[in-house]
Amino acid sequence: MKETPVADVEVVEVPESSRYEARQDGVLLGELTYHRRPGMIVFDHTGVEPAARGRGIGALLVAAAMADAAADEVHVVPACSFVRRWVHDHPEYLPLIEHS
């Protein structure tokens, strides 16, 4: 199976489903689920289809969601371990993280 470059992957927020979706040619490759609280967003789970793993799909999802959180000026609760690792590798987003 030929892998299409990650540049061809579209990440969109689907608010009615409380998630971000990564799609390629209309095929769902992964999702990042969330729920909102006043002034914050909780990222619950990042999942990528087995056939699409290892291509950076999860990182694309988190990058898009974190950029939106920054634009919306909300704090982030990284309940998902993948999101926590991603933020650790991208410390420029640490100011968004909610510290209890």
Side-chain angles (χ1 to χ4, degrees), residues 50-68:
R53 291 183 185 156
R55 294 176 46 205
I57 305 298
L60 284 176
L61 285 161
V62 178
M66 292 297 288
D68 284 355

Side-chain angles (χ1 to χ4, degrees), residues 5 15 22-23 32-33 38 50-51 53 55-56 63 65 68 73 75 89 91 94:
R23 293 185 172 271
L32 169 58
T33 61
R53 291 183 185 156
R55 294 176 46 205
D68 284 355
E73 298 181 349
H75 286 102
D89 292 339
L94 283 172

Side-chain angles (χ1 to χ4, degrees), residues 13-62:
E13 182 180 12
V14 184
E16 60 273 13
S17 298
S18 298
R19 67 185 189 180
Y20 284 82
E21 295 180 348
R23 293 185 172 271
Q24 189 170 53
D25 297 324
V27 177
L28 180 65
L29 300 178
E31 66 182 26
L32 169 58
T33 61
Y34 65 82
H35 65 274
R36 292 187 180 272
R37 295 183 185 160
M40 73 177 65
I41 186 166
V42 180
F43 294 127
D44 301 307
H45 175 74
T46 306
V48 175
E49 293 297 319
R53 291 183 185 156
R55 294 176 46 205
I57 305 298
L60 284 176
L61 285 161
V62 178

